[in-house]
Every structure is written in C-alpha cells, then in structure tokens.
C-alpha cells in the first residue's frame, strides 16, 4: 500500500479510536501511546540539524557561484513575503464571510494567555550569528546553523580546487546517508502518526472543538483556498507543473506536518518529496527549503487574519479597513521577526493584536484549539516552501539555458 494512503488511514483511525475511547482513556493513552509518538518525533528531530547543515552546504557548493546564490535568495525571499501577505488577506476574506466569534460570551475575568515577548529586529539579527556553532547545533537552533552552513559553503566555493572538491564529496556523502536514514524513519510514519494524534483526540474530544468549530472551519477553508488558488496557481503558472502532481507529490510531507506541527521536523521529508517526486534540483531544494522552514509562515499568517476577526467579534470590537491593512503589514514583517522563535504563532498574533489595539486577552480564546490550528498552519507552511522551490527551480532552469546560450555565442 502507498505510504501516503497508510498515513491517511492512520489519521482516520486515530480520530475514530480517540472518539470511541473518550476522555476516560486519557491517562492510559498518555502513558502508553503518547511516548511512541514522542519517539517518532525524536527520530525525525535527530536528523534535522545534519540534514539542514549538509544540505545547505551541498546546495551552495553545487551552485558554484555566489552571484547565482544571491539571485536565488532574492527570488525566494520575495515569493515568501508575497504569499505571506496574500495568506493574511485570505484569512480576512474567509473570516469575513463566516464571522467566527459572533455570539460567544466572554467571561469578565478572562485570563490573558501568557506569551513570550517578541524580540526586536536587531536582536533577531544578533541571534542569527552563532558565537558557538556547535552549541547552536546541540540546541537545534536552526537559524544560526543556517548562517554557519552558508559561510562554510561560501568558503568552500572561494577555496576551489582539489581541497574544496574533497570537502564537497564529504558533505554530499553525508547528506546521502541522512536521506537513507530518513527513508528508514518514514516507514514508521503510520505508527508514529497514530500515536501522535490519538492523545490529542482523546484529550480534547468533541466538546472542546464544538464551541470554536467556526474558527477551525475558517482555518480549514482558508488553508484549502490558499493551497488551491495561491500554491496551485503559482505552481501551474510559474512552475509549469500540474497542481495535481504537485499536491500528490507533497501528500506524505503534508500528512507528517499536519500531525507533528513542526516545520523543521518535517523538513527532511519535505526535501525528500520535493527532490524525488517534484523533480526539484538538489541545489535549489537544499537552499530554499531550510530557509523556508524558518522564515516562511503562510499558515501562521492565515491564522492571524482569521483570529483577528474572531477576537474582534468575540469582544464586539469593530475592525476597520485601516486596521486590516496594518495587520497585513505587521504580520508579514513579523513572519521574519519571529523566525526560529518557539511559539512563533502566538507571538505573531500577540504582535498583531497590539498593533491594532485589539484585546490581548483574546489569545486565551484560541489557546484551547491552538494544537488543532497548528496542524493547519504547519501544513500550509511546508507546502508553501515546496511551492517556492518548484517555482524557483523552473526559473533557474531558464537561467541555465540562457547562460549556456551566452557561452555558446561567446565561443562562436
């Protein structure tokens, strides 16, 4: 049976079993089943730093040209920012039609959800430069690892010659070993997905979901709209790929992202699918995907648009057009400002609420379904990463043809 089908069946089975068992089985499920899911997550996390580091070094050295690297970087960042802004607008549109939060009664003493303070732009930039790269790797602090890998790749390109070739072969071989290990881990994914999702269903159950069903419905509709119209449209128009092929190739990574709620944790599987099933060149995938796993937050942006309308409705606070524009700008910039920060979704939402003077206590309303919303967010985030990889891969294919023509003309 196809692995994607196995994962889907595992998802369905976990929901059915969870609803049958009910909250009474929460304790034994947490004791015996949840640790299996944690072990599966740990197996994936085990490969994050090696894959990110080796893939970026291999991706850079495969390009062999710092000018080409800069060109790809500008394209990647540009598309990420545009799709993030569009995702917020889609969130507004969907929530504007469904109007989640209307009729909800807020308790007078609703406690504000505690959220870490968002770092300043300078602090983010400072934290990106690792004082000790090995310590950053040990803590799985991805942004500093990416910066260190970029410098190593640039250094290898600058050295050139036989000594550089030796290092290139080493990192390429190491990356291949990582991919083989990922293949082994992926064979366990149906079991891991079941063990991850079952405790969530048993713990929350339908009674927690029903009051906030409108928010979850908005997130589901918004995610489908973002995927079908934005990702499907860009893949077909600029990536020259059938959207059905794209989503079929991404099905495994999307299922893993949906259950693990970790963009970084899904990165190894995302890279595997993007290269093997979508035909993206390794040098492109190795650069675009690790970068996207840290700064591309389309799903979180969609979530911010929906939650802003939801909280405004719940507290009966009118949201003006100017405030919506402010949310788009704040959310787009915050997607980079909170890159690599744990709990980035709530931090970004807190920043947005503060920027337009919406009640910060509204965070407590969505905290109950945060885990479920995170499933949709992460799924959109990693799908957006792959879409950008496909589009950049297609555009760079044209650049390669153009370069070959220029070389041939010069030789003539």
């Amino acid at each position: 049976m196809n692995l994607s089908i196995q994962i889907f069946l595992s998802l369905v089975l976990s929901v059915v079993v969870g609803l049958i068992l009910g909250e009474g089985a929460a304790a034994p499920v947490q004791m015996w089943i949840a640790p299996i899911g944690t072990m599966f997550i740990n197996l994936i996390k085990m490969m994050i730093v090696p894959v990110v580091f080796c893939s970026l070094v291999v991706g850079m050295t495969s390009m062999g040209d710092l000018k080409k690297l800069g060109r790809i970087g500008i394209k990647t960042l540009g598309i990420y920012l545009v799709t993030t802004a569009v995702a917020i607008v889609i969130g507004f549109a969907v929530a504007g039609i469904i109007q989640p939060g209307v009729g909800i009664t807020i308790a007078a003493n609703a406690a504000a959800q505690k959220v870490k303070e968002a770092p300043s732009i300078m602090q983010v930039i400072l934290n990106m430069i690792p004082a000790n790269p090995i310590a950053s790797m040990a803590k799985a602090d991805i942004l500093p690892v990416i910066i260190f890998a970029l410098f190593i790749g640039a250094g290898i390109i600058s050295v050139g010659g036989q000594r550089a070739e030796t290092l290139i072969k080493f990192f390429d071989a190491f990356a291949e070993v990582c991919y083989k290990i990922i293949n082994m881990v992926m064979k366990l994914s149906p079991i891991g997905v079941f063990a991850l999702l079952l405790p969530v269903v048993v713990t929350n159950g339908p009674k927690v979901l029903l009051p906030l069903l409108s928010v979850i419905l908005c997130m589901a509709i918004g995610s489908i709209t973002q995927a079908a119209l934005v990702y499907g449209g860009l893949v077909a128009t600029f990536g020259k790929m059938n959207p059905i092929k794209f989503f079929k190739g991404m099905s495994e990574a999307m299922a893993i992202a949906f259950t693990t709620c970790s963009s970084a944790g899904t990165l190894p599987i995302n890279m595997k699918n993007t290269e093997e099933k979508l035909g993206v060149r390794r040098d492109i995938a190795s650069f675009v995907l690790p970068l996207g796993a840290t700064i591309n937050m389309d799903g979180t942006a969609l979530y911010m648009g929906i939650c802003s309308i939801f909280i405004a409705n719940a507290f009966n606070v009118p949201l003006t057009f100017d405030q919506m524009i402010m949310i788009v700008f704040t959310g787009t910039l915050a997607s980079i400002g909170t890159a690599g920060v744990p709990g980035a979704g709530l931090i970004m939402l807190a920043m947005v609420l503060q920027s337009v003077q919406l009640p910060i206590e509204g965070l407590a309303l969505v905290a109950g379904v945060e885990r479920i919303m995170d499933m949709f967010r992460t799924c959109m985030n990693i799908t957006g990463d792959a879409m950008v990889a496909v589009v950049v891969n297609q555009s760079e294919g044209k650049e390669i043809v153009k370069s070959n023509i220029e070389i041939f003309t010069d030789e003539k």
Side-chain angles (χ1 to χ4, degrees), residues 175-196:
E176 283 296 332
V177 171
C178 292
Y179 298 145
K180 291 296 182 184
I181 295 174
I182 291 164
N183 281 331
M184 298 176 192
V185 175
M186 278 300 295
K187 292 178 180 178
L188 302 173
S189 55
I191 299 172
V193 165
F194 178 84
L196 281 169

Side-chain angles (χ1 to χ4, degrees), residues 29-92:
V29 166
Q30 290 290 345
M31 179 180 292
W32 299 105
I33 305 298
I36 298 174
T38 304
M39 284 187 279
F40 175 67
I41 289 290
N42 288 344
L43 284 172
I44 294 177
K45 286 182 175 179
M46 176 179 71
M47 301 309 301
I48 293 174
V49 170
V51 165
V52 168
F53 186 75
C54 293
S55 297
L56 272 175
V57 172
V58 170
M60 288 189 66
T61 53
S62 299
M63 294 177 193
D65 182 3
L66 294 178
K67 183 179 177 182
K68 177 184 176 183
L69 181 66
R71 183 178 69 239
I72 292 175
I74 291 172
K75 289 179 183 178
T76 302
L77 286 173
I79 300 173
Y80 281 154
L81 291 176
V82 169
T83 56
T84 298
V86 171
I88 299 177
V89 174
I90 290 176
F92 282 148

Side-chain angles (χ1 to χ4, degrees), residues 319-338:
L319 199 61
T320 66
F321 180 75
D322 290 341
Q323 286 177 309
M324 291 184 182
I325 295 296
M326 177 62 72
I327 289 173
V328 172
F329 281 111
T330 306
T332 303
L333 295 176
S335 67
I336 294 179
T338 56

